[in-house]
Amino acid sequence: MAKAAKNNTLKLKFDTINYAPAPESKSSATIDAQYDLFINGKFEKPLSKKYFDTINPATEEKLSSVAEANAADVDKAAKAARTAYDKVWSKMPAKERAKYIYRIARMIQERAREFAVIETLDGGKPIRESRDIDVPLVANHFFYYAGWADKLAYAFPNRNPKPLGVAGQIIPWNFPLLMAAWKIAPALATGNTVVLKPAETTPLTALKLAEIIQESDLPPGVVNIITGAGATGAAIVNHPDINKIAFTGSTDVGKIIQRAVAGTDKKVTLELGGKAANIIFEDAPIDQAVEGIINGIYFNQGHVCCAGSRLFVQESIYKEVMRKLKDRIATLIVGDPMDKNTDVGAINSKQQLETIHKYITIGKKEGLEIFESSCTLPKKGFFCKPTLFTNVAQSSRIAQEEIFGPVLAIQTFRTDDEVIEKANNTPYGLSAGVWTDKGSKIFNLTTKLRAGVIWANTYNKFDPTSPFGGYKESGFGREGGLQGLGTYLNV
Amino acid sequence: MIATQTIPDFNISSRIDQVGVEEKAKRFTTRSIKTETKVNGLKLVLNMIDLTTLEGKDSKGKVQQLCYKAQHLHDAYPGLPTVAAICVYPSMVKIAKAALGNSGVKVAAVATAFPSGQAPKDVKIRDTKFAVAEGADEIDMVISRGKFLEGEYNFVFDEIAAIKETCGNARLKVILETGELVTYDKVRRASDIAMYAGADFIKTSTGKIQPAATMPVTLVMLEAIRDFYYKTGKMIAMKPAGGISKSKVALHYLVMLQETLGEAWMNNHWFRFGASSLANDVLMQLEKERTGVYQSANYFSVD
């Protein structure tokens, strides 16, 4: 061997932040230029004669015009639901009801791609999430509750459960189709009829679901889907034909609904805001916990009521967790929600982006240390860098109020009792996360944390069989699982 | 050697949550790798391959052919890189060395009573000495899994350290044989022991035991490498081996490497694929990207 061997090491660009674009095709989805109200099995022009635009938050381009239902439209929908309940749905054998719900579930699966694409276009969430999480869960919810329809007597033995009548359902913009499924599936399985209103910024997948419901030959009026903003929602809440209100959304609106139904015999379930504690102990599997922090707060741009927005790290591992967390944030791909590689998509609306910016400003003013992803944001559309604040105090507004965006507040703790006290020190109580290798510690924490859902060594896991709902100002009533049936029945 | 480093208590190596790590590994597979990123990735994969033949029936001719292939993967496609190394038994090192000349392709020799490692320490040392004397650039050793599973971590540590000393300038790859360790916690502990004992590479498998390399196991080892780097500032290389035969899977490994350890590790000094059939699948994909159509396997040489 005469000369020094040559170097055969190749260096090529394989840069994660700049993976070649991998856009999901829009061709599988058809969006009409205009959508009417789905009442009594037909798409009908609104009596209000008004329409509003729904835009793609990633491009700010208009996707479609959607009817705005006024009180007269709501009345029409509620009457259709009442008639369908009295004449058809309440008399139909439960086994037959189940067949319709199964059919809807299968049709959703068949058109899963179309639903995922529209969900992403209309709401801004990454296609990875709408494709792999939202839409499969939607189908699962219908399948699960279809199974319960003819077994209600077994769910509530010796009780002779009876449906409530017409359910008015108002859902938020963070999981538009999934929330529609959470509401419609148990209502139908228990023999109720439905008037559902999707959020005004994300009405399209619910309207697509209306198309499926129409094709499924579900008797007219059993499910009515009407669009509009707050006034439409108020008309539903106040309508005398409505027997039950199921609402998912902000705590402020939840309180308004509570006031509105006071003195009526309407039943109510509310699933409201949250400010969940995600607690990492020193004996936790740290790399998986870091991933759990990421999934807890940056999943769906933080537009998750059960988001792990308060992080508590035991002080002995604080440095390690912070370093890993920052490294991980650097690999998050923020941008075009339609790109299959995008991890964090667009903020749902301009208004929500302003709210998030307001809180980031507050955090800075409070003198907290801020860390932001180094990513570059697209020029158009509503985007926010994954952000975290450290040195946060319990008294800081960042730690107290729900931001509903990709902003994490980090605190440290020393003892178990301390972290339990801090975690519970909030008006909310929707969810929490506990990360430790020690089983006994998990059980100690889960019995003492006042939250409806507590995840151990994982976060943001949803399943139709598992009940979901809050303590305190996070609402009441449970959705999902056997418990989700009870809130639609007189037992 | 890390004489000045404090050696940690391996009984309290970082814990691994099985569900979490498998979920994370799966997430890398949802990355969609297209066009120029794909072509770059595939060329990088070729350049990271340790082209391997480890059979009792290996002959001089077979090793020589493999060495030619290492330098001429597919001459119909201009500008392809060479592979990283040829991996053979110690008796074939001299032949491989001569066949490769100064092409830059390294010669790696498996040693220490490969694949079982069931031999006394002095035999393992002699095995290694022979391979190094024959000219091996890299030594792929196996750990004593029996001792490891018994909890004799000091024994395993000392053995690796002794082999490292025997290696001289040759880089040492330590094979954990993760298929026999079974749990991720044990994989993590074995990785820590190997790195603190002086490994230059940690490697999943011999290829003789199933399961061999999997993405979650590789991820656990990459995270161990990252933690070691955080603590000591020293980079350790990684080699998944066995079971990676498709381009798509190899690209997923690159995604995992890039997003776990980053740019610095994205070359064949710090990452290798131990594989024999992967190269042809990558070549087939490269030709498809270039010409737009798949070609028959008959167009790619089998060596």
Side-chain angles (χ1 to χ4, degrees):
Chain A
M1 279 181 280
K3 282 170 251 170
K6 80 177 185 200
N7 187 357
N8 74 337
T9 297
L10 194 65
K11 290 202 171 161
L12 282 172
K13 208 166 173 57
F14 189 80
D15 187 352
T16 24
I17 305 305
N18 299 310
Y19 285 131
E24 173 67 51
S25 162
K26 291 177 193 169
S27 61
S28 60
T30 47
I31 299 176
D32 297 345
Q34 184 176 305
Y35 283 94
D36 295 321
L37 305 171
F38 183 66
I39 296 173
N40 211 20
K42 294 187 290 286
F43 282 93
E44 297 203 352
K45 297 247 174 276
L47 300 171
S48 71
K49 297 197 167 59
K50 282 191 202 157
Y51 289 85
F52 61 93
D53 290 347
T54 181
I55 64 161
N56 178 347
T59 60
E60 301 175 50
E61 283 159 10
K62 178 183 163 182
L63 290 169
S64 182
S65 298
V66 179
E68 185 179 332
N70 63 12
D73 292 304
V74 170
D75 183 57
K76 213 167 120 186
K79 291 231 161 73
R82 170 59 58 197
T83 310
Y85 177 75
D86 289 339
K87 300 241 164 95
V88 186
W89 200 241
S90 63
K91 293 180 180 161
M92 187 183 280
K95 211 161 45 174
E96 295 301 311
R97 283 205 313 266
K99 285 183 189 171
Y100 286 107
I101 309 173
Y102 273 124
R103 192 180 297 163
I104 293 168
R106 283 196 302 271
M107 290 171 83
I108 291 168
Q109 284 186 320
E110 280 162 17
R111 290 166 68 175
R113 181 179 291 255
E114 183 179 5
F115 273 112
V117 167
I118 296 177
E119 194 76 314
T120 289
L121 288 173
D122 200 20
K125 67 173 64 200
I127 188 77
R128 187 185 71 81
E129 289 176 11
S130 50
R131 179 195 65 201
D132 296 346
I133 298 165
D134 291 55
V135 176
L137 269 175
V138 167
N140 285 347
H141 246 86
F142 279 101
F143 277 122
Y144 173 74
Y145 278 110
W148 269 123
D150 61 350
K151 302 174 192 71
L152 298 176
Y154 301 97
F156 305 96
N158 307 318
R159 289 297 187 89
N160 191 20
K162 293 277 178 228
L164 301 173
V166 179
Q169 307 178 324
I170 300 165
I171 58 171
W173 44 260
N174 57 343
F175 294 93
L177 186 63
L178 183 59
M179 290 301 109
W182 278 30
K183 298 279 185 284
I184 295 174
L188 296 187
T190 47
N192 297 276
T193 57
V194 166
V195 176
L196 176 119
K197 184 192 87 68
E200 65 269 28
T201 58
T202 56
L204 293 183
T205 42
L207 291 163
K208 277 279 156 187
L209 182 63
E211 288 179 9
I212 278 192
I213 286 168
Q214 198 176 31
E215 283 170 40
S216 76
D217 277 333
L218 187 76
V222 173
V223 173
N224 304 278
I225 296 176
I226 56 174
T227 44
T232 314
I236 293 174
V237 171
N238 293 317
H239 197 283
D241 260 325
I242 301 280
N243 303 105
K244 187 225 156 88
I245 305 293
F247 172 75
T248 297
S250 72
T251 296
D252 288 344
V253 176
K255 287 177 179 172
I256 295 170
I257 291 173
Q258 267 287 66
R259 280 185 216 112
V261 299
T264 72
D265 62 354
K266 288 175 186 169
K267 289 206 173 354
V268 184
T269 49
L270 301 174
E271 199 265 273
L272 309 174
K275 193 74 187 174
N278 200 3
I279 303 167
I280 320 286
F281 286 97
E282 61 185 1
D283 59 356
I286 291 176
D287 287 308
Q288 286 79 54
V290 167
E291 200 58 24
I293 298 167
I294 295 285
N295 288 334
I297 188 64
Y298 302 125
F299 171 61
N300 199 25
Q301 298 75 247
H303 301 330
V304 187
C305 42
C306 51
S309 49
R310 289 185 296 153
L311 175 66
F312 290 94
V313 184
Q314 200 154 25
E315 58 186 356
S316 54
I317 52 163
Y318 178 69
K319 273 189 188 159
E320 184 183 358
V321 168
M322 287 310 296
R323 181 167 184 182
K324 287 186 170 175
L325 189 56
K326 287 175 181 177
D327 281 1
R328 177 67 180 98
I329 287 173
T331 64
L332 283 175
I333 301 175
V334 186
D336 179 10
M338 286 293 278
D339 193 301
K340 292 175 201 160
N341 290 325
T342 295
D343 296 311
V344 180
I347 301 299
N348 187 267
S349 65
K350 194 172 178 205
Q351 192 192 357
Q352 185 57 29
L353 184 63
E354 281 163 5
T355 306
I356 296 166
H357 284 158
K358 181 189 88 183
Y359 278 108
I360 291 176
T361 311
I362 290 172
K364 285 177 181 165
K365 270 194 195 144
E366 284 176 338
L368 309 179
E369 270 174 52
I370 185 173
F371 172 84
E372 286 178 323
S373 161
S374 55
C375 64
T376 42
L377 299 180
K379 287 199 178 67
K380 276 196 96 179
F382 315 131
F383 290 91
C384 180
K385 289 180 178 180
T387 303
L388 56 85
F389 283 103
T390 52
N391 283 342
V392 178
Q394 279 291 101
S395 52
S396 163
R397 283 183 70 190
I398 299 290
Q400 289 180 332
E401 296 173 25
E402 185 178 38
I403 301 171
F404 227 61
V407 182
L408 179 65
I410 304 180
Q411 296 173 262
T412 57
F413 70 96
R414 193 164 286 184
T415 67
D416 296 16
D417 290 341
E418 178 194 354
V419 78
I420 291 166
E421 191 184 1
K422 282 182 172 169
N424 285 335
N425 176 216
T426 166
Y428 296 107
L430 190 55
S431 60
V434 179
W435 297 80
T436 168
D437 215 28
K438 202 168 189 175
S440 59
K441 207 183 281 179
I442 292 173
F443 287 114
N444 181 34
L445 266 282
T446 49
T447 51
K448 288 176 181 160
L449 289 174
R450 300 191 63 214
V453 183
I454 300 171
W455 287 287
N457 293 331
T458 187
Y459 208 92
N460 274 342
K461 279 276 173 301
F462 304 97
D463 193 279
T465 63
S466 168
F468 185 91
Y471 279 44
K472 300 187 273 185
E473 289 192 16
S474 289
F476 49 80
R478 295 291 178 264
E479 291 179 306
L482 187 148
Q483 291 81 353
L485 295 167
T487 53
Y488 283 95
L489 290 167
N490 272 318
V491 287
Chain B
M1 290 297 293
I2 322 161
T4 53
Q5 294 293 336
T6 338
I7 290 163
D9 179 354
F10 297 115
N11 282 304
I12 50 168
S13 267
S14 282
R15 294 148 190 86
I16 309 294
D17 184 75
Q18 183 195 339
V19 175
V21 81
E22 286 174 1
E23 226 165 51
K24 179 73 203 276
K26 202 168 166 214
R27 182 163 172 173
F28 293 118
T29 68
T30 65
R31 287 277 190 243
S32 184
I33 306 302
K34 306 263 190 215
T35 56
E36 78 269 16
T37 313
K38 183 172 179 182
V39 171
N40 279 353
L42 290 172
K43 286 181 181 171
L44 211 48
V45 168
L46 286 179
N47 192 230
M48 287 172 166
I49 289 176
D50 279 7
L51 212 52
T52 304
T53 183
L54 294 171
E55 289 171 16
K57 62 180 163 49
D58 283 347
S59 63
K60 186 179 175 187
K62 179 168 186 194
V63 170
Q64 282 171 333
Q65 283 180 26
L66 204 64
C67 289
Y68 188 80
K69 168 121 182 182
Q71 305 163 70
H72 305 270
L73 280 165
H74 191 59
D75 285 343
Y77 190 125
L80 285 184
T82 64
V83 300
I86 289 287
C87 186
V88 291
Y89 273 112
S91 54
M92 296 292 169
V93 168
K94 207 168 230 170
I95 296 157
K97 205 67 201 163
L100 290 167
N102 70 345
S103 63
V105 179
K106 309 276 191 297
V107 176
V110 294
T112 71
F114 181 94
S116 70
Q118 296 281 26
K121 191 164 152 189
D122 60 317
V123 174
K124 292 181 178 180
I125 290 174
R126 267 167 49 213
D127 195 11
T128 310
K129 249 184 201 153
F130 172 74
V132 173
E134 293 285 286
D137 303 295
E138 297 166 358
I139 297 295
D140 291 28
M141 74 169 285
V142 289
I143 65 165
S144 298
R145 280 90 75 188
K147 290 285 185 189
F148 176 84
L149 293 170
E150 281 170 32
E152 298 285 345
Y153 303 140
N154 289 341
F155 180 94
V156 177
F157 185 97
D158 292 346
E159 203 172 63
I160 297 168
I163 300 294
K164 169 69 183 167
E165 211 178 325
T166 313
C167 281
N169 288 329
R171 291 176 86 201
L172 175 65
K173 304 197 191 96
V174 178
I175 303 172
L176 310 180
E177 197 63 301
T178 53
E180 291 186 342
L181 304 185
V182 183
T183 69
Y184 297 121
D185 281 322
K186 291 211 170 77
V187 170
R188 170 66 196 229
R189 195 172 297 165
S191 303
D192 287 345
I193 292 172
M195 290 186 294
Y196 279 96
D200 296 299
F201 273 86
I202 49 177
K203 174 175 168 184
T204 58
S205 323
T206 58
K208 308 286 183 193
I209 297 282
Q210 288 301 323
T214 65
M215 286 192 67
V217 152
T218 307
L219 179 59
V220 168
M221 293 168 72
L222 291 173
E223 284 172 346
I225 290 171
R226 180 175 59 187
D227 285 347
F228 185 79
Y229 177 71
Y230 278 174
K231 288 198 182 90
T232 66
K234 191 181 164 205
M235 285 169 78
I236 304 290
M238 173 71 204
K239 179 178 172 184
I244 305 165
S245 57
K246 296 287 172 211
S247 314
K248 195 171 181 178
V249 179
L251 288 175
H252 292 156
Y253 273 82
L254 285 193
V255 169
M256 180 161 71
L257 176 66
Q258 167 88 31
E259 296 192 18
T260 309
L261 294 177
E263 195 69 39
W265 267 266
M266 292 293 286
N267 57 67
N268 70 9
H269 194 71
W270 299 112
F271 194 83
R272 300 280 177 82
F273 289 102
S276 44
S277 60
L278 174 63
N280 274 8
D281 193 67
V282 175
L283 293 172
M284 201 182 276
Q285 292 296 333
L286 276 171
E287 280 292 16
K288 195 254 165 185
E289 285 297 311
R290 187 170 71 137
T291 63
V293 288
Y294 279 108
Q295 299 183 7
S296 140
N298 292 334
Y299 287 91
F300 304 96
S301 66
V302 181
D303 278 300

